Amino acid sequence: MESSKGKKDSLDFASFIISGSALLLFVLIALINADFVADTVNYLFGLSATYFGIIYQVVLLGTFLIAIVLGFSKYGKIRLGNLDQPEMSTFKWIAIIMCTLLAGGGVFWAAAEPLSHFLSVPPHFSGITEATPEAVVPALAISFVDWGFLSWAILGTLGTIVLMYAHYHKGMPLKPRALLYPIFGEKIMKNSIFGTIVDSFSIIAVAAGTIGPIGFLGLQAGYGLSTLTGIPNTLSVHITIIILLVIGAAISAVTGIHKGIQMLSSLNVILAIGLIIGVLLLGPGLFIFNNYFEAFGMYINHFISFNTYRGDEAWLGLWTVFFFAWFVGYGPMMAVFASRISRGRTIRELVLAVAIIAPVVTTFWFTVVGGTGIFQELKLPGSVSVALDEAGPPAAMMAITEQLPFGTIFGFLFLLATIIFVLTTTDSMSLTISMAISGNGNPPRWLRAFYALVMGIVAIVLVSIGEGSVNALQSFIVVTAVPVVLLLLTTFWTAPRACKDMYASQENKSV
């Protein structure tokens, strides 16, 4: 087997310039005419959701099913990355994976989405009255669809297998274009215009998906601090929060995976576990357990029909297709990141951690946070829904924590968890973009810091223009997911092919 160390990697200035220019152009046009940007993105968003929504659903479902088959076949024992033992402990490994994806969604959407489906029953369930006990389980089950097995599988299974094969086993640079190595061979890696376009779109998509949460964190944390402390919820507070966040992310990215990123991820998982225990003990623990098991059972029993639902395209564009496209946009770069942290893991371990353990934990987390809000809303209508209607997801989270015993303490801790989630995503994606630009698992430190700061600056500019600009960038990832989904579709064939090659090599080596 070839070693990835045998290849000399250098900065890909073409991808650097194209992706950077696209983000800069977006910001400049937003500064000149924010309404034009919002209208254009919304129009493109509608087109991509309408015409590619079904493709997103098919690719996510196919990725999950193929990953499960590979993981539990004879290929499951293949050890990835040319290492006999994993680089880090299983707990730290899974912690990094979970914290990188969940970002701000891990708290604010966990509060808002189940409650939103409870207050307005999804179209899958005709005849169920909104905001009634009968609406609880359906609301949770549909939240599981958006944040469950398929969403996680697209981020770190088939794509990761192909990239680890190309990089660690065949010596190719660690770039999104390496997903096409089993098809085109080394020519996709060298002076390839097509390869540069693939890398650039992948970088733009993940940058848009990361800058959005950074901007939202400034807005949401400002609201939360105002609620908890009475500090005015002003633009200067939002900007200060973002500046502190990106400085922390830059420092963490520079120290690398084995220090800053690993430490923050482990800390946040421990904090999340503590919050879960606290809510179960002091909140509606029995209500949470009962409804989780019933909702999870509904999710499994209707797994195919829920994930392939096409009955209401307008609703899908707001929820399932939006989230699926968001995760697709993250797909190639998360595969790069997962490849970097998964050396020494078997394919079975990878599939178990990413496609099964992570979504099970996520769905329970959503039930703890969102289920508590539903319980409070059932007990006192308007106690959470009014805040959600008036000020959005961050208000829902604060309204939920306020009604718990020691509400102020819970509020601060949930806010801290959100900040660390976004911080971990920012430092991880800064590192990953740097890896895609350099093709190296250990890119220059200045490059890692540069991308953390650039994403923060873009977020500050968009927040200064107005919340609509942040929303536009958040929606933009659904548009950029269109070419990315076609890239990920190739893994349906390339991942099994890579597994077959690695299996043969490892079998020969063991003889």
Side-chain angles (χ1 to χ4, degrees):
M1 295 180 190
E2 297 177 53
S3 170
S4 61
K5 294 178 182 178
K7 304 278 183 180
K8 183 179 179 180
D9 304 312
S10 59
L11 296 185
D12 184 349
F13 286 103
S15 299
F16 178 82
I17 293 169
I18 292 172
S19 58
S21 298
L23 289 172
L24 180 61
L25 183 62
F26 184 94
V27 173
L28 288 175
I29 297 174
L31 281 169
I32 296 168
N33 192 334
D35 291 337
F36 171 76
V37 169
D39 292 343
T40 302
V41 169
N42 287 335
Y43 174 73
L44 294 174
F45 174 92
L47 287 179
S48 60
T50 299
Y51 295 105
F52 282 83
I54 189 171
I55 298 177
Y56 297 147
Q57 289 174 275
V58 168
V59 170
L60 264 74
L61 181 61
T63 298
F64 174 74
L65 295 177
I66 294 171
I68 292 297
V69 170
L70 292 177
F72 291 93
S73 70
K74 64 180 182 180
Y75 298 133
K77 66 179 183 180
I78 294 171
R79 198 164 290 278
L80 298 163
N82 273 336
L83 282 183
D84 293 330
Q85 295 294 328
E87 282 188 308
M88 63 182 71
S89 71
T90 300
F91 172 78
K92 290 178 179 177
W93 177 55
I94 295 177
I96 293 174
I97 290 171
M98 295 205 63
C99 292
T100 299
L101 168 71
L102 282 176
V107 177
F108 290 114
W109 281 117
E113 183 168 358
L115 188 64
S116 296
H117 295 327
F118 171 72
L119 297 170
S120 180
V121 179
H124 311 59
F125 307 98
S126 58
I128 293 180
T129 305
E130 61 188 27
T132 61
E134 291 73 29
V136 177
V137 170
L140 291 170
I142 296 303
S143 299
F144 298 170
V145 173
D146 295 349
W147 293 82
F149 295 114
L150 303 196
S151 299
W152 279 99
I154 198 68
L155 294 166
T157 55
L158 301 188
T160 303
I161 291 169
V162 176
L163 283 178
M164 294 189 79
Y165 166 73
H167 181 60
Y168 295 111
H169 297 262
K170 295 297 180 181
M172 297 299 106
L174 190 56
K175 299 182 178 186
R177 70 176 76 180
L179 287 166
L180 299 174
Y181 169 75
I183 300 174
F184 297 105
E186 291 196 24
K187 61 185 176 182
I188 191 67
M189 311 307 299
K190 297 178 180 179
N191 301 317
S192 166
I193 295 175
F194 181 49
T196 298
I197 293 171
V198 167
D199 290 347
S200 299
F201 267 108
S202 300
I203 292 169
I204 292 167
V206 82
T210 306
I211 293 167
I214 295 172
F216 275 121
L217 179 73
L219 300 170
Q220 295 164 343
Y223 178 92
L225 287 174
S226 178
T227 302
L228 293 168
T229 66
I231 294 173
N233 186 23
T234 62
L235 176 61
S236 60
V237 172
H238 302 160
I239 292 174
T240 301
I241 292 169
I242 293 172
I243 290 172
L244 293 175
L245 175 88
V246 297
I247 290 173
I251 294 171
S252 180
V254 165
T255 58
I257 286 174
H258 295 286
K259 292 183 180 177
I261 294 174
Q262 190 178 104
M263 182 189 71
L264 284 171
S265 300
S266 299
L267 171 64
N268 214 29
V269 167
I270 293 169
L271 175 57
I273 292 171
L275 287 171
I276 288 173
I277 294 171
V279 172
L280 290 175
L281 292 177
L282 299 175
L286 186 60
F287 177 87
I288 289 169
F289 278 117
N290 286 341
N291 285 285
Y292 174 72
F293 284 111
E294 190 172 351
F296 196 80
M298 176 182 282
Y299 173 47
I300 297 299
N301 287 334
H302 299 275
F303 184 76
I304 299 296
S305 62
F306 280 172
N307 283 295
T308 57
Y309 175 78
R310 297 294 303 163
D312 188 333
E313 288 190 4
W315 183 91
L316 284 168
L318 293 173
W319 293 104
T320 302
V321 166
F322 169 76
F323 284 117
F324 279 11
W326 196 12
F327 299 135
V328 163
Y330 266 91
M333 298 299 281
M334 271 297 294
V336 171
F337 182 72
S339 298
R340 177 62 184 83
I341 65 173
S342 301
R343 292 194 71 185
R345 295 287 169 184
T346 65
I347 288 177
R348 185 166 299 135
E349 288 175 321
L350 182 72
V351 171
L352 275 171
V354 176
I356 296 179
I357 295 173
V360 168
V361 173
T362 301
T363 53
F364 186 66
W365 170 260
F366 265 60
T367 307
V368 170
V369 181
T372 299
I374 291 174
F375 175 83
Q376 294 166 345
E377 189 68 20
L378 277 170
K379 189 176 178 182
L380 182 62
S383 59
V384 183
S385 58
V386 171
L388 176 63
D389 290 339
E390 291 180 352
M397 191 270 283
M398 299 310 299
I400 291 169
T401 58
E402 284 176 348
Q403 297 177 65
L404 291 168
F406 311 106
T408 301
I409 295 175
F410 270 112
F412 272 116
L413 291 177
F414 270 103
L415 195 58
L416 177 61
T418 306
I419 291 170
I420 301 177
F421 270 130
V422 178
L423 180 57
T424 307
T425 301
T426 305
D427 61 13
S428 300
M429 291 304 100
S430 301
L431 174 63
T432 306
I433 293 172
S434 301
M435 285 193 284
I437 294 291
S438 67
N440 191 315
N442 293 294
R445 292 184 177 185
W446 69 265
L447 194 62
R448 309 178 205 178
F450 172 79
Y451 272 105
L453 296 174
V454 164
M455 288 194 287
I457 291 168
V458 174
I460 289 172
V461 172
L462 294 179
V463 166
S464 301
I465 296 170
E467 187 172 349
S469 297
V470 183
N471 281 318
L473 185 65
Q474 192 86 336
S475 297
F476 188 56
I477 194 174
V478 178
V479 180
T480 57
V482 171
V484 171
V485 76
L486 301 177
L487 173 65
L488 294 174
L489 182 60
T490 64
T491 63
F492 284 19
W493 177 72
T494 56
R497 180 176 175 179
C499 287
K500 185 178 180 180
D501 189 28
M502 287 187 289
Y503 183 79
S505 297
Q506 292 190 12
E507 284 292 294
N508 291 335
K509 187 177 179 181
S510 62
V511 172

